[in-house]
Amino acid sequence: MTAPVFVVDSLSGAAPGAVVTLDGPEGRHAVSVKRLQPGEDIVLTDGQGQGAAGTVLATEGKDRLTIEVHACPAEPEPTPRITVVQALPKGDRGELAVETMTETGVDAVVPWAAARCITQWKGERGAKSLAKWRSTAREAGKQSRRLRFPEVAEAATTKQVTALLADADFAAVLHEEGAEPLATAELPSQGSIVLVVGPEGGVSPQELEAFAAAGAKPYRLGRSVLRTSTAGTAATALLLGRTGRWS
């Protein structure tokens, strides 16, 4: 079984042979929930690609471990970078989408307030929802043993999404009426890929027109129509395989 991952603010001073301390909420989780014991393996990460792999030397109280570092692995910037623009789903399906996309390997998620979204992020509710998405990405990153967690951006308008698509090396809108399957699209080996996942009610004609003007064609995933909370995960898996990032 691979070593569990815990997040720290900084890994400065971590080097092979060094002894570091894990405390606070992450230390409490390691000691009181995971019940790690001396001699067990552990990995620390800053969530931005840097890691420190080591062995637990000792535990103190309910929230403190000392760790001897054996290696400092790094997860480089991925290429091509995969960003999913995720329309705001109903209920907790947004967290489900972020969780599974993170576990699969997405690099960035952009919440999108599409015209046909039932859910709206406004004021305090919007801030809480964004915080939940970011917390979900962090926890899913730890669960999937990632050293580089996906960025969850501020909620974007259609105009902002259009600009993001225009800057991408490959841009696509997942749509059941797309003439071409995503599985056969010509993909870049470097740069950025941006996918748009629409809401339960679908992407509006006006949005499709704006995205097409920015260079984003509609593509279909397959014969079945996926929920908005699962389409991004399926598409991410397809792209990771096709671009060689899973090889």
Side-chain angles (χ1 to χ4, degrees), residues 83-87 112 114 116 158 161-166 168-183 185 187 193-199 201-222 226 228 231-232 235-236 238-239:
T83 297
V84 172
V85 176
Q86 174 67 58
W112 172 40
R116 293 176 175 173
T158 297
V161 172
T162 301
L164 184 65
L165 294 168
D169 295 286
F170 175 82
V173 181
L174 299 183
H175 199 279
E176 66 268 21
E177 296 181 3
E180 184 179 347
L182 188 63
L187 302 175
I193 294 174
V194 180
L195 299 175
V196 175
V197 177
V203 183
S204 73
Q206 294 80 11
E207 290 165 338
L208 283 173
E209 183 178 351
F211 295 160
K217 293 169 51 178
Y219 291 84
R220 67 180 187 275
L221 274 176
L226 300 181
T228 184
T236 297
L238 174 64
L239 293 174

Side-chain angles (χ1 to χ4, degrees), residues 131-206:
K132 284 184 179 180
W133 281 34
R134 287 175 170 168
S135 175
T136 298
R138 171 188 168 108
E139 294 306 311
K142 290 167 56 180
Q143 173 66 33
S144 53
R145 311 297 198 260
R146 293 181 62 169
L147 298 182
R148 185 180 296 277
F149 300 164
E151 172 194 357
V152 179
E154 296 284 336
T157 63
T158 297
K159 183 177 181 180
Q160 290 169 325
V161 172
T162 301
L164 184 65
L165 294 168
D167 287 340
D169 295 286
F170 175 82
V173 181
L174 299 183
H175 199 279
E176 66 268 21
E177 296 181 3
E180 184 179 347
L182 188 63
T184 61
E186 186 175 347
L187 302 175
S189 59
Q190 300 181 32
S192 63
I193 294 174
V194 180
L195 299 175
V196 175
V197 177
E200 287 89 347
V203 183
S204 73
Q206 294 80 11

Side-chain angles (χ1 to χ4, degrees), residues 5-6 22 24-36 62-63 65 139 142:
V5 173
F6 297 90
L22 177 66
E26 289 290 272
R28 184 175 302 109
H29 189 240
V31 175
S32 300
V33 179
K34 289 291 189 180
R35 299 186 181 278
L36 293 184
K62 297 181 179 180
D63 61 358
L65 304 90
E139 294 306 311
K142 290 167 56 180

Side-chain angles (χ1 to χ4, degrees), residues 220-245:
R220 67 180 187 275
L221 274 176
R223 295 181 179 179
S224 59
V225 177
L226 300 181
R227 287 181 180 271
T228 184
S229 54
T230 55
T233 300
T236 297
L238 174 64
L239 293 174
L240 286 168
R242 291 201 57 216
T243 58
R245 285 182 50 183

